[in-house]
Amino acid sequence: MRVPLSWLREYVDLPAGETGRDVAAKLVDAGLEVETVEQLGGGLRGPLVVGRVLTIEELEGFRKPIRFCTVDVGQANGTGEPQEIVCGARNFAVGDKVVVVLPGAVLPGDFAIASRKTYGRTSHGMICSGDELGMGDDGTHGIIVLPPEHEVGTDAIELLQLVDEVLDIDITPDRGYCMSMRGVAREAATAYGLPLRDPALLDVPAPNSYGYPVKIDDPAGCDRFTARTVTGLDPDARSPIWLTRRLQKAGMRPISLAVDITNYVMLELGQPLHAYDRSSIDGTIGVRRAEQGEKFTTLDGVKRTLDAEDLVITDNSGPIGLAGVMGGANTEIADSVTDPGTGQVTGTTDVVIEAAHFDSVSISRTARRLKLSSEASKRFERGVDPQAAAAAAQRTVDLLVLLAGGTAEAGVTQIIAPGAPRTIAMGADHPDRVAGMEYGRETVVRRLQEIGCDVYGQDELVVTVPSWRPDLAEPNDLAEEVIRLEGYGNLPSTLPQVPSGRGLTARQQLHRRVGRALAGSGYVEALSYPFIGEGVFDQLQLPAHDVARQVVKLVNPISDEEPALRTTLLPGLLGALRRNDSRGSHDLALFETGSVFRAADRPGVAVRLPVDRRPTDEEIATLNAALPAQPRYAAVVLAGAREQAGWWGKGRPADWADAVQAARALAVEAGAELVVRQGQYGPWHPGRCAELVVTVDGVEQVIGHAGELHPRVVKAMGLPARTSAMELDLDRLAAAGGEALQAPRISSFPVATQDVALIVDASVPASAVEAALRKGAGELLESLRLFDVFTGEQVGEGKKSLAYALRFRAADRTLTAEESTGARDAAVALAGERTGAVLRGA
């Protein structure tokens, strides 16, 4: 919301010396987010005056049309003689009043004006456009043509209100009332302790039976509808300068007088309005839900397909407006058209003004589904004051009568659904208990009255909420209002008392060790959004029944394209890898640790926890039971070179083995024994995929996969060739490792090394052979490593040779050759029994 300071002063008598930054600081203290304070006209220096075009000479022989003009600027140039100016614009004619900047002036951007020779003539100044004066878009993209009543030589800086300050306020969803000058003025008045001149306090005629007929079929969607009619508008009437300038400063483009007035009143009071060409309306105006698949063309000329949840404004011909979002092209206010023969101006002369209050949820869903966000929908989504509708309609009527010469018909239509003011019961000391400091009843009542509440009671207060604050629904909301108005900076800084002896949990310690281990291995941490779209599962080639496809969807997602919580870390990491690769970083190794979300078989209902005391264990347990499971995962992705080439030798590309090694590094940090064996799952290449297995309570569990991604996945996601990845469940890895990480025991006795080469069928996994060797070797085995895999004629067709290095060591003695050989033979024997392995060369 852009708030011109000059406009704000109309409703609040701010101190004369207050600058925009001073006002911004007050509003920030009151809880509003003022992002910038824009200085309009900064560095602007005159003379800048109103001139009248006397003559126009078309200059020939140039690539673009050039005109040599003489302009009457009165005595502004010190001589009274016509000012000679060269100009390339063509949207003005002889006799038009224009804005002229004379030599010696300085325009925004430190653009000094001087006489200069151009196109064979000397130009003594400029005829100005809105963009050159920093006024913003006026819809013409040409020279400013002023109304004829302005006198030649008038100071245009004051006339066009070029010097001002504009506060750009980011309105949070709970402060919809501040999307209006009325709302911001109320906050400013409260912050300064000054009275407010409420622009909505107008004399509004009572509704009667001869207003324009309106029928509401859905009172839940539209609980208030006001209709007023104005006839006899002058189609040639234009918006006055003060009106267009306020719209421009607020960030809106002037269009036509009727539309400008409805936009102006919306900015002033916060109530969206719509003006219909009365001659285009066929019969009674209605409000109903759209029929499924119904077609409707909006003001932007787009034909849209409606949903049964959409609210529409109708007449006998069908929809004429998308309620709270955008009007229809079939009842649009017609632009004025001048007949070149007669000079007669035609256009809309009779209008029907709509000021209604619509259900915020319905408007939000419609605008989001149609991707049609408008100034009206932004306000209805956040909540509009329903009681401002009649005042907004009256204000619009008054301006149309004043500026367009119209006549207000006596008929007033006002349909209101039955309802009662909202009340909230609250203890007078509730804000004290929430804030942790004492305000006292008097302060609480005074602050609530300042925001428009009616307060009754002593120790137990009954608070009637003002109509413009739909966000106030419970005692905590009222407490927040008291706290913010008293100043967040006045809250005491009280640190919680931490019991001694309690540090990080074992789970937290593991997560930190994992991050350090991966960073030490050359990976860079990437934090991605926890939201995904379900289409990514097809890109990852996950089967239809995969548990990862069972997602938790958000009711109000940030993006409709990513409405679900992630069940895997890979989409976010792969997206980061793709973006970095597209920007020239081709050697990448990224990691992330974070929660994934698993949908429960039956969704629970979360309880609302108290804020004035610590929740009980039962309340916390009930809340946790309603939440989806949130295991913590770790994942890495790699592409490009893993080791760079240089004078030291050749580099090497990242491959599946690096992804597997990352999993082994995590297992070391968790103190868990990780089994790596051939696997096949979703996004990984079926021949280059490792299955990661741990044993928990005597039961083997697959906790993840590692390897090279499938070429189809790489293509679908736009990834570099041969991208590799690893993902595993950190919580289950921790469960396999036990509570505390055991440091390795250093022995003073020598190690005995025995190498064996075993021939097995090519289909036998190396992990099965390794498991048998470990089992058979017994307690003397310290480590086992596969160091060679060989296939060829020497071992026979369909066979492979696996060479292992076995290290034996005893804790209390030096092993004899017979002991180490015996342990090796026992290991080979069990491997032969379980896998059919034969000692090579035997």
Side-chain angles (χ1 to χ4, degrees):
M1 177 71 186
R2 289 173 57 84
V3 178
L5 191 59
S6 59
W7 193 356
L8 184 63
R9 289 183 182 274
E10 284 198 5
Y11 313 118
V12 185
D13 290 326
L14 299 173
E18 288 292 279
T19 66
R21 294 191 180 278
D22 296 332
V23 177
K26 285 283 190 179
L27 294 178
V28 168
D29 287 342
L32 293 181
E33 298 180 12
V34 182
E35 294 191 334
T36 60
V37 178
E38 184 179 349
Q39 303 288 334
L40 299 184
L44 176 63
R45 188 172 70 245
L48 186 72
V49 298
V50 175
R52 182 170 62 88
V53 180
L54 300 176
T55 64
I56 297 177
E57 177 187 351
E58 302 288 345
L59 301 183
E60 305 293 339
F62 300 102
R63 292 185 178 180
K64 62 179 182 178
I66 298 297
R67 310 166 100 186
F68 181 68
C69 310
T70 59
V71 185
D72 179 11
V73 294
Q75 296 299 319
N77 57 4
T79 65
E81 297 295 324
Q83 199 79 3
E84 296 179 339
I85 298 175
V86 175
C87 184
R90 309 192 65 78
N91 67 312
F92 63 97
V94 172
D96 283 344
K97 298 288 182 66
V98 294
V99 178
V100 179
V101 58
L102 301 177
V106 178
L107 295 185
D110 200 24
F111 180 30
I113 303 300
S115 298
R116 64 190 183 97
K117 189 169 184 179
T118 178
Y119 297 102
R121 303 292 179 95
T122 300
S123 180
H124 302 280
M126 289 173 51
I127 301 175
C128 297
S129 67
D131 288 338
E132 289 164 340
L133 298 180
M135 294 172 57
D137 183 15
D138 62 357
T140 65
H141 300 289
I143 293 302
I144 301 170
V145 178
L146 299 171
E149 64 267 18
H150 296 292
E151 294 185 7
V152 169
T154 301
D155 182 6
I157 295 178
E158 182 177 352
L159 175 66
L160 299 177
Q161 305 170 23
L162 296 179
V163 179
D164 202 350
E165 293 181 276
V166 178
L167 283 65
D168 192 353
I169 305 176
D170 184 13
I171 307 299
T172 53
D174 62 328
R175 296 290 186 87
Y177 67 98
C178 283
M179 294 195 74
S180 66
M181 293 301 302
R182 180 194 184 201
V184 176
R186 186 181 302 279
E187 290 296 317
T190 302
Y192 279 93
L194 297 171
L196 168 72
R197 288 187 290 273
D198 191 345
L201 295 180
L202 301 175
D203 291 331
V204 179
N208 49 55
S209 60
Y210 43 93
Y212 199 93
V214 174
K215 179 184 178 183
I216 298 179
D217 294 331
D218 192 337
C222 177
D223 58 7
R224 188 178 294 253
F225 196 108
T226 300
R228 299 289 298 276
T229 304
V230 182
T231 60
L233 302 178
D234 179 4
D236 197 33
R238 296 291 182 267
S239 299
I241 291 175
W242 66 266
L243 179 58
T244 59
R245 288 299 292 134
R246 285 191 171 178
L247 291 177
Q248 288 175 324
K249 291 176 184 179
M252 301 189 76
R253 180 172 63 87
I255 299 174
S256 64
L257 179 56
V259 176
D260 291 349
I261 288 174
T262 58
N263 286 336
Y264 176 82
V265 175
M266 177 184 68
L267 291 172
E268 184 179 50
L269 301 181
Q271 168 66 53
L273 302 109
H274 190 71
Y276 299 95
D277 188 331
R278 183 176 180 178
S279 63
S280 301
I281 302 177
D282 180 13
T284 300
I285 292 177
V287 182
R288 61 169 172 82
R289 296 287 175 175
E291 298 175 3
Q292 186 66 38
E294 192 170 13
K295 306 293 184 181
F296 171 63
T297 302
T298 47
L299 278 174
D300 56 1
V302 178
K303 191 172 185 178
R304 304 181 186 277
T305 302
L306 304 182
D307 188 85
E309 287 189 355
D310 297 334
L311 272 174
V312 291
I313 313 298
T314 65
D315 63 4
N316 293 340
S317 65
I320 60 173
L322 195 56
V325 181
M326 187 175 286
N330 51 349
T331 57
E332 182 180 6
I333 300 295
D335 294 332
S336 61
V337 178
T338 303
D339 189 308
T342 64
Q344 182 179 1
V345 179
T346 59
T348 298
T349 58
D350 301 340
V351 297
V352 177
I353 305 300
E354 165 211 309
H357 183 261
F358 302 110
D359 174 57
S360 60
V361 175
S362 176
I363 301 305
S364 177
R365 288 176 176 172
T366 296
R368 183 164 297 188
R369 186 180 59 79
L370 295 176
K371 294 180 174 61
L372 188 62
S373 180
S374 65
E375 292 294 331
S377 68
K378 291 176 185 176
R379 286 164 173 79
F380 279 121
E381 287 173 2
R382 290 164 172 79
V384 169
D385 181 4
Q387 295 186 13
Q394 182 63 44
R395 178 72 164 139
T396 304
V397 169
D398 292 343
L399 289 173
L400 285 172
V401 171
L402 175 66
L403 302 178
T407 301
E409 289 194 352
V412 177
T413 302
Q414 189 170 21
I415 300 176
I416 303 175
R422 289 176 295 112
T423 61
I424 302 173
M426 180 186 73
D429 63 342
H430 183 71
D432 299 358
R433 290 186 286 115
V434 172
M437 64 180 297
E438 184 176 348
Y439 293 119
R441 179 189 179 280
E442 181 179 347
T443 299
V444 171
V445 172
R446 175 172 57 85
R447 288 304 190 182
L448 293 179
Q449 289 175 339
E450 286 178 349
I451 65 172
C453 296
D454 292 329
V455 186
Y456 305 94
Q458 292 298 318
D459 294 337
E460 289 295 324
L461 304 179
V462 177
V463 182
T464 301
V465 176
S467 57
W468 58 84
R469 293 300 302 270
D471 59 302
L472 302 181
E474 61 176 33
N476 290 332
D477 297 328
L478 299 178
E480 181 183 2
E481 292 298 297
V482 174
I483 294 169
R484 76 173 180 88
L485 293 178
E486 283 295 302
Y488 291 118
N490 295 325
L491 292 175
S493 298
T494 305
L495 295 176
Q497 296 295 325
V498 180
S500 60
R502 296 186 184 180
L504 298 176
T505 65
R507 188 170 186 256
Q508 292 170 330
Q509 291 174 351
L510 173 62
H511 297 162
R512 294 195 179 190
R513 291 201 307 271
V514 162
R516 287 194 294 266
L518 291 175
S521 299
Y523 292 87
V524 176
E525 186 172 16
L527 301 178
S528 59
Y529 285 113
F531 313 115
I532 58 174
E534 294 183 84
V536 75
F537 299 131
D538 295 329
Q539 294 179 325
L540 293 176
Q541 297 192 136
L542 297 184
H545 61 276
D546 195 283
V547 67
R549 287 183 177 267
Q550 300 173 13
V551 297
V552 178
K553 291 188 177 180
L554 301 176
V555 175
N556 187 26
I558 294 177
S559 168
D560 290 335
E561 296 179 357
E562 296 180 329
L565 292 172
R566 66 188 179 191
T567 56
T568 167
L569 301 181
L570 290 181
L573 269 181
L574 293 174
L577 184 139
R578 179 179 62 248
R579 285 190 299 273
N580 281 274
D581 180 74
S582 67
R583 286 162 175 76
S585 297
H586 303 303
D587 303 327
L588 297 162
L590 308 178
F591 84 92
E592 181 175 9
T593 62
S595 297
V596 299
F597 305 86
R598 300 295 189 190
D601 296 334
R602 183 177 303 174
V605 178
V607 297
R608 180 167 297 202
L609 298 181
V611 297
D612 57 347
R613 61 173 174 82
R614 184 189 184 281
T616 65
D617 293 341
E618 293 75 14
E619 289 172 332
I620 296 175
T622 303
L623 177 63
N624 289 334
L627 298 176
Q630 302 175 49
R632 194 166 183 97
Y633 273 38
V636 304
V637 294
L638 306 98
R642 185 61 174 148
E643 295 179 4
Q644 296 291 336
W647 58 265
W648 51 84
K650 295 181 179 180
R652 70 171 183 85
D655 60 17
W656 62 268
D658 295 301
V660 173
Q661 183 56 35
R664 294 186 189 277
L666 300 191
V668 170
E669 295 299 327
E673 184 176 339
L674 183 71
V675 176
V676 179
R677 62 192 183 202
Q678 186 175 5
Q680 185 171 344
Y681 177 68
W684 280 277
H685 191 296
R688 298 166 189 158
C689 174
E691 190 174 71
L692 309 176
V693 181
V694 296
T695 301
V696 179
D697 297 331
V699 179
E700 281 194 350
Q701 295 184 11
V702 178
I703 63 167
H705 296 81
E708 183 180 315
L709 296 182
H710 198 289
R712 284 199 291 266
V713 173
V714 170
K715 181 178 181 181
M717 302 190 74
L719 303 172
R722 310 300 291 269
T723 297
S724 298
M726 180 277 296
E727 183 176 37
L728 57 74
D729 186 332
L730 264 183
D731 288 343
R732 286 199 284 173
L733 180 67
E739 289 293 329
L741 182 62
Q742 297 294 324
R745 183 171 57 84
I746 300 175
S747 175
S748 59
F749 296 98
V751 65
T753 302
Q754 297 275 359
D755 293 345
V756 296
L758 303 177
I759 298 176
V760 296
D761 290 338
S763 61
V764 175
S767 59
V769 178
E770 180 178 333
L773 290 174
R774 288 185 181 279
K775 183 70 173 176
E779 296 180 354
L780 294 179
L781 181 66
E782 182 180 79
S783 67
L784 173 67
R785 180 173 64 88
L786 174 66
F787 66 87
D788 184 56
V789 179
F790 176 76
T791 58
E793 295 180 0
Q794 293 89 331
V795 297
E797 185 177 355
K799 301 287 186 179
K800 63 182 176 182
S801 171
L802 304 176
Y804 291 92
L806 290 79
R807 292 167 57 92
F808 298 98
R809 195 190 315 254
D812 56 351
R813 66 187 187 281
T814 299
L815 292 178
T816 64
E818 291 78 10
E819 287 177 312
S820 61
T821 301
R824 181 203 63 183
D825 293 343
V828 171
L830 188 59
E833 179 182 334
R834 291 187 175 182
T835 65
V838 177
L839 195 62
R840 186 174 176 181

